[in-house]
Amino acid sequence: MFPFPSASPSRSVFATGRALLPLGVLPLCLLTASAFALSLSDLSNKDAAGGVKAALETGATLAVAKLGVENGFLNNERVRIPLPKILEQARPLLKLTGKGQQLDDLVIQMNHAAEAAVPMAKPLLLDAVKSMSITDAKNILTGGDTSVTDFFRAKTSSRLAVQFLPIVKKVTDRSSLSTRYNSTMAMAPKMGLVTREQATVEGYVTQRALDGLYTMIGEEEKAIRADPIGTGSKLLGKVFGALK
């Protein structure tokens, strides 16, 4: 069972394998404070898990809507994708050889590539929320600032990377500098010069697009925690309001 406090406000208990133990004998690490437990004691497991799912669905939807539009990445300093480190380090030399504008164009293309790919994430993100276990919901509700990011990354990153890559490549291949970079870096991972993700522009952008997506979902979830009533959802207000 989900180790939220029981619905009885007079006696908070947690289920164990064999019996119900008084709340006071449990390790303190399970609680942030006694007031936290008491404020959650009116929530059923169903409400608590439902509130977490609603928060994640809202956060994922808003994050995709904000990033999956023109300049959604490019104009957002929090997730804007810069040049791969090696190209950035070579910028002074490339500018001297007349490649400065190509570098600027590549940055624009990379960010537009991420913007084009992100809308594909929404169905998979929502599927992950629907399949959330009671344990997942508990970890998110009582977890730290990275709990939402950790959940989505674990559940969706591999599949999203596969879906994002061809879309990103279609956009970044429009840059001649991207093509030359990929050719030059073909052997770099084997030599230990760069990670496999940075060996191609599309691999680098795909990873940064995923990082940006999870970052924004986390930011949306923080906003819900800060003002659950402001979401207009009674369930979100009830569940996340109980944490205050």
Side-chain angles (χ1 to χ4, degrees):
M1 291 292 292
F2 194 172
F4 283 117
S6 72
S8 171
S10 60
R11 184 184 181 209
S12 294
V13 295
F14 277 69
T16 66
R18 295 183 179 178
L20 293 177
L21 297 178
L23 184 59
V25 305
L26 292 175
L28 292 179
C29 64
L30 293 179
L31 303 172
T32 57
S34 60
F36 173 87
L38 292 173
S39 63
L40 284 178
S41 64
D42 292 328
L43 295 178
S44 67
N45 288 353
K46 181 179 179 181
D47 279 351
V52 173
K53 287 186 177 184
L56 265 63
E57 288 179 355
T58 299
T61 299
L62 289 174
V64 170
K66 290 179 179 180
L67 294 178
V69 295
E70 186 175 2
N71 297 326
F73 273 82
L74 192 63
N75 290 347
N76 186 335
E77 290 298 325
R78 195 170 298 167
V79 298
R80 188 174 191 264
I81 302 174
L83 290 168
K85 187 175 181 179
I86 289 179
L87 275 181
E88 189 60 56
Q89 291 173 337
R91 182 188 281 272
L93 178 61
L94 290 170
K95 289 183 71 173
L96 288 175
T97 59
K99 298 293 192 303
Q101 185 59 52
Q102 290 186 38
L103 288 172
D104 293 340
D105 290 343
L106 180 57
V107 170
I108 294 172
Q109 293 290 346
M110 290 192 305
N111 283 275
H112 285 341
E115 293 156 9
V118 159
M120 291 192 65
K122 185 176 178 179
L124 190 54
L125 293 171
L126 296 184
D127 283 346
V129 174
K130 290 176 183 177
S131 64
M132 178 187 296
S133 68
I134 295 296
T135 299
D136 290 330
K138 178 211 71 172
N139 290 339
I140 290 169
L141 185 61
T142 61
D145 289 343
T146 65
S147 59
V148 171
T149 298
D150 293 342
F151 168 77
F152 277 119
R153 193 181 296 278
K155 298 292 185 180
T156 66
S157 61
S158 297
R159 291 175 62 187
L160 282 179
V162 172
Q163 292 183 6
F164 279 17
L165 190 63
I167 298 173
V168 169
K169 182 173 175 56
K170 185 177 180 179
V171 177
T172 56
D173 277 356
R174 298 171 189 168
S175 167
S176 59
L177 186 58
S178 173
T179 302
R180 287 198 293 273
Y181 175 89
N182 288 354
S183 298
T184 302
M185 300 300 292
M187 297 298 295
K190 296 180 180 179
M191 300 170 65
L193 299 177
V194 295
T195 62
R196 183 170 57 85
E197 288 77 14
Q198 292 203 33
T200 64
V201 171
E202 61 269 18
Y204 168 73
V205 173
T206 294
Q207 187 57 56
R208 292 301 296 261
L210 289 171
D211 291 342
L213 175 61
Y214 297 137
T215 294
M216 288 303 295
I217 292 174
E219 291 300 313
E220 295 296 338
E221 190 259 354
K222 287 180 188 177
I224 291 171
R225 285 178 184 263
D227 183 21
I229 303 300
T231 64
S233 167
K234 290 183 179 180
L235 181 58
L236 287 176
K238 179 180 180 181
V239 173
F240 287 91
L243 299 179
K244 294 187 176 298

